[in-house]
Amino acid sequence: MILDGKGLADRRLEALKGKIKESGINPTLATVLIGDDPASALYVRMKHRACEQVGIRSVNVQLPGDVSTSEVLDRLKTLNEDPDIDGILVQLPLPAQIDTHQVINAVNPAKDVDGYHPVNMGKLVGGLPGPRSCTPKGIMTILNEYGIETSGAHAVVIGRSVDVGKPMALLLMLADATVTVCHSKTKDLPSITKQADILISAAGKADMVTADMVKPGATVIDVGTNHVNGKLRGDVDFEAVSSIAGAITPVPGGVGPMTIASLMENTLEAARSRCKPAE
Ligand code: NAP
C-alpha cells in the first residue's frame, strides 16, 4: 500500500479551509527567512502557497544572511508583540553565526507553530496538549488515517534530531508504541530495523534503508529529503523496499505535504487559542 501523503494533505487542507471559514477567525502566519538558501526559500514559498489555499494570511520577514542573533531576536520580539500575528515560523537551518537555540527560545510559545520551543517540547514530554512538531504530527496523521495500529507495535525511529526524531519517538510512545531510537552511533542498525512493525527513517541519507533492513509487511515512513543528481530521493530505497513493506510513503508525495498541512493546522489552533478569553 502506498501511503499517499499528498492526497491526504490535499483533503486535510480542503477541510481546514472550511473550518477557517466557519470559525470567523482570520489566522496570520509570519515566516522568518534568513539568507538566500534556495531550499529554505522554496520551503517558505510552499508554506505561503498553502496559507493562500486555506485562507490563512501570511507575511514573510526576510533577513540578510549576515544578520546577527540579536537582530533576529529584535524582529521576533516585534512579531511576538504584534496582536495580528498568530503563528511564527523561523525557517531552519540558520546561518552559522546565529545561535539557533536562542532564536527558538525567543519565539512566544503561544505562537510557536513548529512546536520547537522548550515549553512546547516539555508539554509533549508530559503528554500535555500543545503544538506538535509538524513533521512528526503529519506522520501520526498518516498512520491514523490509514488505520495503521500503533498500540503495541514496535516502532523504530532512525534519527534523534529535535525537529523530527525526538518528537516522533515521543508521539509514538504517547500512541502506545514500543519505541526504539537509532542514530549514527547505533551498532548493527539492520538487526534493529528488521524488528520494526513501523520503521521511520529521518537520517537524511539517500537510499540508506535497503530491503534487507525491513521486516516483510512493515510500515515504512520515509522522512528523508536528499538531493541526488538534481532529483529528490528519500532515505529509503523505494523500488526495493516497496516490494516487501506492507505500506510505504513515497518521496516526494509522502511526508513533505503532510508537514505543511500540519503547519496550517497548528496555525489555526494558535489563532483559536489566542482568541479564547483569558481565564
Ligand atoms: P538531522 O538533524 O541531520 O538528524 C539526522 C539524524 O539521523 C541524526 O540523529 C543522526 O545521528 C542520524 N543519522 C545520520 N546518519 C545515520 C546513519 N547512517 N545511521 C543511523 N542514524 C543516522 O536531520 P533532521 O532535521 O532530523 O532531518 C532528517 C531528514 O529528514 C533530512 O533529510 C531532512 O531534509 C528531512 N526532513 C524532511 C521533512 C519533510 O517534511 N519531509 C521535514 C524535516 C526534515 P546523530 O544524532 O548521531 O548525528
Side-chain angles (χ1 to χ4, degrees), residues 22-47:
E22 266 171 35
S23 71
I25 303 173
N26 294 313
T28 300
L29 173 69
T31 55
V32 178
L33 179 58
I34 303 174
D36 54 8
D37 174 57
S40 291
L42 173 67
Y43 292 140
V44 166
R45 274 202 305 280
M46 287 162 72
K47 289 165 186 175

Side-chain angles (χ1 to χ4, degrees), residues 43 135 158-161 163-165 182-185 189 202-205 208 223-226 235 255-256 259:
Y43 292 140
T135 301
I158 308 177
R160 56 175 166 180
S161 68
D163 57 326
V164 188
C182 303
H183 46 77
S184 66
K185 306 290 184 293
L189 183 65
K205 297 276 181 305
M208 184 188 102
V223 184
T225 47
N226 309 292
D235 283 356
V255 172
T259 296

Side-chain angles (χ1 to χ4, degrees), residues 102-159:
Q102 271 200 58
V103 168
I104 289 173
N105 290 357
V107 174
N108 176 351
K111 298 188 177 188
D112 169 36
V113 284
D114 257 338
Y116 294 161
H117 191 283
V119 165
N120 292 324
M121 282 289 179
K123 286 180 176 172
L124 172 59
V125 172
L128 300 170
R132 304 303 194 214
S133 305
C134 298
T135 301
K137 175 177 171 155
I139 292 169
M140 293 309 292
T141 305
I142 293 176
L143 296 176
N144 288 335
E145 292 285 326
Y146 275 94
I148 291 159
E149 185 65 80
T150 51
S151 179
H154 185 188
V156 174
V157 180
I158 308 177

Side-chain angles (χ1 to χ4, degrees), residues 205-210 226 228 233-239:
K205 297 276 181 305
D207 297 333
M208 184 188 102
V209 176
T210 47
N226 309 292
V228 181
R233 298 287 300 182
D235 283 356
V236 177
D237 177 357
F238 183 86
E239 288 75 19

Side-chain angles (χ1 to χ4, degrees), residues 26-195:
N26 294 313
T28 300
L29 173 69
T31 55
V32 178
L33 179 58
I34 303 174
D36 54 8
D37 174 57
S40 291
L42 173 67
Y43 292 140
V44 166
R45 274 202 305 280
M46 287 162 72
K47 289 165 186 175
H48 284 262
R49 220 178 292 142
C51 283
E52 205 177 311
Q53 200 179 331
V54 299
I56 291 175
R57 191 173 78 89
S58 62
V59 292
N60 182 45
V61 175
Q62 174 72 55
L63 297 174
D66 60 357
V67 72
S68 67
T69 300
S70 68
E71 284 170 287
V72 179
L73 298 185
D74 283 348
R75 294 305 285 260
L76 286 174
K77 187 167 184 289
T78 308
L79 294 172
N80 283 340
E81 289 168 358
D82 185 339
D84 290 336
I85 302 291
D86 298 296
I88 301 171
L89 175 142
V90 181
Q91 185 65 43
L92 302 180
L94 302 180
Q97 81 279 6
I98 296 176
D99 183 333
T100 301
H101 289 297
Q102 271 200 58
V103 168
I104 289 173
N105 290 357
V107 174
N108 176 351
K111 298 188 177 188
D112 169 36
V113 284
D114 257 338
Y116 294 161
H117 191 283
V119 165
N120 292 324
M121 282 289 179
K123 286 180 176 172
L124 172 59
V125 172
L128 300 170
R132 304 303 194 214
S133 305
C134 298
T135 301
K137 175 177 171 155
I139 292 169
M140 293 309 292
T141 305
I142 293 176
L143 296 176
N144 288 335
E145 292 285 326
Y146 275 94
I148 291 159
E149 185 65 80
T150 51
S151 179
H154 185 188
V156 174
V157 180
I158 308 177
R160 56 175 166 180
S161 68
V162 172
D163 57 326
V164 188
K166 281 186 187 130
M168 187 73 251
L170 287 161
L171 282 177
L172 285 161
M173 233 186 286
L174 288 174
D176 295 329
T178 301
V179 183
T180 304
V181 179
C182 303
H183 46 77
S184 66
K185 306 290 184 293
T186 297
K187 286 181 184 149
D188 194 4
L189 183 65
S191 72
I192 300 170
T193 57
K194 269 192 107 134
Q195 297 173 34

